[in-house]
């Protein structure tokens, strides 16, 4: 049977401002939390928490540091200046869509200015104009790990309610300015990641919380993000006719290591927790079992009078998610462990893994699609998927059959899910052009169809080189099939 995708399927790629743009101190941009991330030469890449740990003392020193030598996210891949070349390459691959984010601190450098920064607004307008010319439909993330640093320092990030107002103001400015260009919006990238890296996701610095209250602060910040997400969903619908707003979660589908009922129960709990974030944004209310669990843990979320109504009345139009791996759960404390996307979990003996230990599980993508569609009955889009790998340049060429294999196996599972009735309307691979890793700030962890000549230390010409996989993905999009 021919493995054809539905007409109009939105094939493309996904990037985030802080991982590609560079120009960290240009165009009136303020510092963001991403500008604090350093490349840690002597830490094992599998120890993610050491890469993402942050203190107030460190932030103070890093804010004074005017160099980008140790801060790869300040450099990115120079998309800020080379966006036309990059968009042209995406168009050449046949992309229908590109997911990208707007760096909040380009628009409001400290998050609290009375007026937005025109230079920042103009930059994205130029990008969207060029995308329109190339027929690339934008999917825009409003918050992708890049909030203004000043809000983190002043308020301990999203822990303080006033950040909600700043975010709503920023979002509304974007909706008004880009309403002729952007129809698809995502509010928070991987909103669930707040537990895994509170600073990167929500500007929370552990030493700013009262000792013992760190978890309480995380849930409070998360609640503020839920409310802000619902508020801007409402504004978006009002300001942009026909707009579509989605939530975005990390899909960490979890299997039991054995059929032992205790393992199955532990897995069930893990999956309920995984669903919590999208449940709030799709159903418009906190799941009862989660509320009970919070009560048991003595966590009390302060909710303003209207919050419940705001959540209920402004649910999302579609569900988007990243999928890199599945997870495994076991009650055996001695079970083998392996790192994943900023998590460490039980090793699944049936799965191979990347050099970073992330387990490769194409079937898990189909399982995730079926689970999500069955639960929410909303259109789905995969907005991140891919394999971080080391590439070798030989005679100016990059042969990457491992990447093609990874994608082909995942696309087959997407196709099967669609055949079985799942409403999947698009797919954007993560980092279609090599970019700076979110977790480890490496360049050498490459996801792209397009190679960037830049190493972990920032050396290189920044030339763009098409890998073999570039032509393969181009073929998939052109034929809209994986035959
Ligand atoms: C996702 C993030 O969790 O994973 C991206 O949304 C990130 O920003 C991607 O880049 C891959 O993770 P990493 O650490 O390999 O860059």
């Amino acid at each position: 049977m021919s493995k054809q995708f539905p007409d109009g399927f939105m094939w493309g790629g996904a990037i985030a401002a802080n991982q590609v743009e560079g120009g960290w101190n240009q165009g009136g941009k303020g510092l963001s939390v991403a500008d604090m991330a350093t490349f840690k030469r002597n830490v094992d890449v599998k120890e993610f928490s050491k890469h993402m740990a942050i203190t107030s003392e460190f932030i103070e020193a890093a804010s004074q540091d005017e160099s980008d030598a140790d801060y790869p996210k300040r450099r990115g891949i120079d998309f800020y200046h080379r966006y036309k070349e990059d968009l042209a390459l995406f168009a050449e691959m046949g992309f229908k869509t590109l997911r990208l984010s707007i760096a909040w601190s380009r628009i409001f450098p400290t998050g609290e200015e009375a007026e937005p920064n025109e230079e920042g607004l103009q930059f994205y307008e130029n990008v969207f104009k060029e995308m329109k010319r190339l027929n690339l439909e934008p999917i825009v993330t409003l918050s992708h790990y890049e909030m203004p640093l000043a809000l983190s320092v002043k308020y301990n990030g999203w822990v303080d309610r006033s950040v909600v107002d700043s975010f709503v103001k920023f979002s509304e400015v974007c909706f008004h300015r880009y309403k002729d260009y952007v129809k698809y919006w995502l509010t928070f990238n991987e909103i669930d990641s707040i537990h895994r890296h509170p600073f990167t996701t929500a500007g929370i610095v552990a030493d700013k919380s009262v000792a013992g209250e760190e978890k309480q602060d995380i849930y409070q910040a998360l609640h503020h993000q839920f409310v802000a997400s619902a508020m801007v969903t409402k504004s978006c619908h009002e300001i942009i006719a026909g707009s579509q707003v989605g939530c975005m979660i990390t899909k960490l589908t979890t299997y039991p290591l054995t059929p032992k009922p205790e393992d199955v129960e532990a897995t069930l709990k893990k999956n309920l927790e995984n669903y919590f974030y999208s449940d709030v944004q799709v159903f418009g209310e906190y799941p009862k079992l989660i509320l009970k669990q919070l009560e048991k843990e003595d966590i009390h979320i302060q909710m303003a009078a209207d919050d419940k109504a705001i959540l209920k009345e402004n649910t999302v139009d579609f569900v988007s998610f990243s999928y890199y791996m599945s997870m495994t759960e076991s009650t055996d404390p001695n079970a083998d462990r392996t790192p994943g996307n900023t998590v460490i979990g039980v090793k699944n003996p049936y799965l191979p893994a990347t050099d970073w230990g992330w387990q490769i599980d194409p079937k898990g993508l189909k399982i995730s699609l079926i689970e999500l569609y069955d639960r929410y009955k909303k259109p789905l889009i995969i907005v991140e998927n891919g394999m971080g790998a080391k590439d070798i340049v030989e005679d100016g060429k990059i042969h990457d059959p491992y990447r093609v294999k990874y994608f082909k196996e995942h696309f087959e599972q997407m196709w099967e899910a669609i055949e079985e009735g799942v409403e999947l309307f698009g797919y954007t691979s993560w980092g279609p052009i090599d970019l700076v890793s979110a977790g480890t700030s490496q360049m050498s962890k490459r996801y792209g169809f397009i190679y960037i000549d830049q190493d972990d230390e920032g050396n290189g010409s920044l030339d763009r080189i098409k890998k073999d996989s570039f032509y393969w993905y181009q073929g998939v999009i052109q034929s809209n099939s994986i035959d």
Side-chain angles (χ1 to χ4, degrees):
M1 190 198 264
S2 152
K3 292 183 179 163
Q4 200 68 30
F5 278 70
D7 283 349
F9 190 78
M10 287 169 73
W11 291 105
I15 56 178
N18 73 89
Q19 293 172 259
V20 295
E21 283 178 7
W24 65 288
N25 54 3
Q26 293 177 29
K29 179 182 167 295
L31 284 174
S32 83
V33 292
D35 295 319
M36 302 293 105
T38 49
F39 169 52
K40 300 190 175 59
R41 293 168 189 83
N42 303 319
V43 178
D44 186 331
V45 290
K46 293 179 179 168
E47 294 189 73
F48 74 89
S49 54
K50 292 197 179 152
H51 288 272
M52 304 191 97
I54 200 100
T55 60
S56 295
E57 198 186 343
F58 178 82
I59 292 173
E60 210 177 312
S63 310
Q64 305 303 321
D65 193 340
E66 307 242 312
S67 148
D68 63 12
D70 284 337
Y71 307 88
K73 290 179 190 169
R74 294 184 182 186
R75 297 191 291 267
I77 56 162
D78 200 27
F79 181 81
Y80 187 63
H81 297 106
R82 298 173 195 234
Y83 69 89
K84 284 197 179 159
E85 180 186 352
D86 295 342
L87 295 177
L89 285 164
F90 298 147
E92 185 183 335
M93 248 188 295
F95 279 21
K96 312 285 177 210
T97 185
L98 176 71
R99 172 183 172 225
L100 69 173
S101 68
I102 295 178
W104 184 354
S105 68
R106 273 200 196 286
I107 312 300
F108 288 99
T110 67
E112 293 191 297
E113 287 75 6
E115 296 300 325
N117 169 34
E118 177 53 33
E119 219 177 323
L121 284 172
Q122 191 58 51
F123 168 67
Y124 293 105
E125 187 167 332
N126 295 343
V127 171
F128 295 139
K129 266 197 186 137
E130 185 65 4
M131 287 178 68
K132 194 168 186 167
R133 194 181 73 76
L134 296 166
N135 284 322
L136 290 169
E137 177 86 52
I139 300 177
V140 173
T141 318
L142 287 160
S143 180
H144 193 134
Y145 302 162
E146 53 213 358
M147 76 184 297
L149 180 70
L151 294 177
S152 160
V153 172
K154 185 168 170 190
Y155 297 115
N156 202 12
W158 281 87
V159 176
D160 193 295
R161 179 94 190 188
S162 42
V163 175
V164 174
D165 299 334
S166 304
F167 181 74
V168 171
K169 183 169 168 183
F170 155 65
S171 302
E172 290 181 349
V173 163
C174 292
F175 298 150
H176 281 293
R177 180 69 173 239
Y178 306 126
K179 63 177 186 297
D180 295 334
Y181 301 100
V182 186
K183 179 178 158 198
Y184 295 96
W185 297 86
L186 305 178
T187 53
F188 292 91
N189 181 67
E190 296 183 340
I191 195 164
D192 48 288
S193 65
I194 193 167
H195 291 287
R196 304 194 293 275
H197 35 73
F199 177 70
T200 308
T201 305
I204 304 172
V205 187
D207 59 57
K208 282 183 182 285
S209 293
V210 173
E213 296 287 301
E214 296 85 355
K215 205 166 174 188
Q216 163 78 36
D217 279 353
I218 287 176
Y219 276 98
Q220 190 61 53
L222 175 65
H223 177 70
H224 291 151
Q225 292 197 333
F226 282 144
V227 172
S229 177
M231 287 168 88
V232 305
T233 300
K234 182 174 195 278
S235 310
C236 188
H237 287 150
E238 285 167 2
I239 298 168
I240 312 178
S243 57
Q244 299 277 306
V245 185
C247 59
M248 198 295 198
I249 54 156
T250 323
K251 189 71 181 85
L252 295 168
T253 300
T254 305
Y255 309 143
L257 183 64
T258 72
K260 205 170 122 194
E262 284 75 9
D263 281 357
V264 176
E265 185 190 22
T267 306
L268 174 75
K269 294 234 164 98
K270 251 292 166 276
N271 281 323
L272 287 179
E273 196 185 304
N274 290 336
Y275 278 122
F276 158 40
Y277 313 87
S278 38
D279 279 0
V280 173
Q281 295 178 87
V282 176
F283 299 137
E285 57 189 31
Y286 278 68
K288 284 194 180 137
L289 299 184
I290 295 288
L291 287 175
K292 186 72 192 169
Q293 181 201 318
L294 294 180
E295 192 188 310
K296 281 191 174 161
E297 289 183 48
D298 208 16
I299 290 170
H300 304 279
I301 300 172
Q302 281 179 29
M303 299 199 190
D306 293 345
D307 285 1
K308 283 189 179 159
I310 292 170
L311 293 177
K312 194 74 198 169
E313 284 157 23
N314 303 290
T315 56
V316 291
D317 304 305
F318 65 92
V319 173
S320 81
F321 65 100
S322 63
Y323 178 83
Y324 292 94
M325 74 211 58
S326 57
M327 303 299 291
T328 312
E329 190 61 303
S330 164
T331 44
D332 176 1
N334 299 319
D336 276 355
R337 307 213 148 233
T338 186
N341 189 359
T342 59
V343 280
I344 296 198
V346 174
K347 203 168 161 44
N348 184 331
Y350 297 98
L351 298 176
T354 70
D355 290 347
W356 279 259
W358 297 22
Q359 301 186 122
I360 303 173
D361 180 15
K363 184 58 82 186
L365 178 55
K366 178 180 175 187
I367 294 167
S368 303
L369 285 164
I370 292 176
E371 279 182 354
L372 284 169
Y373 192 61
D374 186 53
R375 191 176 187 96
Y376 299 131
K377 299 166 182 65
K378 292 264 181 200
L380 301 176
I381 178 166
I382 299 159
V383 292
E384 286 187 29
N385 169 242
M387 175 193 188
K390 288 187 182 126
D391 291 327
I392 297 168
V393 189
E394 284 169 298
D395 298 331
K397 295 202 163 47
I398 298 102
H399 305 298
D400 54 349
Y402 38 91
R403 189 168 285 112
V404 169
K405 179 177 186 296
Y406 177 99
F407 282 122
K408 188 166 192 297
E409 289 174 357
H410 283 77
F411 293 178
E412 271 165 2
Q413 297 303 316
M414 281 153 48
W415 179 81
E416 282 188 18
I418 294 171
E419 278 296 292
E420 290 177 25
V422 170
E423 199 183 334
L424 176 67
F425 68 98
Y427 171 92
T428 59
S429 74
W430 177 249
I433 188 163
D434 294 344
L435 40 67
V436 179
S437 155
T440 58
S441 293
Q442 290 174 292
M443 261 316 291
S444 50
K445 187 180 189 187
R446 298 175 182 274
Y447 286 88
F449 303 109
I450 301 160
Y451 184 89
I452 299 288
D453 179 25
Q454 178 172 237
D455 67 14
D456 288 338
E457 306 285 347
N459 305 308
S461 64
L462 285 171
D463 281 353
R464 277 65 174 144
I465 309 170
K466 298 170 203 168
K467 303 180 192 177
D468 286 358
S469 55
F470 179 100
Y471 302 100
W472 177 80
Y473 194 37
Q474 185 182 51
V476 169
I477 301 177
Q478 216 163 48
S479 61
N480 200 25
S481 87
I482 38 163
D483 293 329

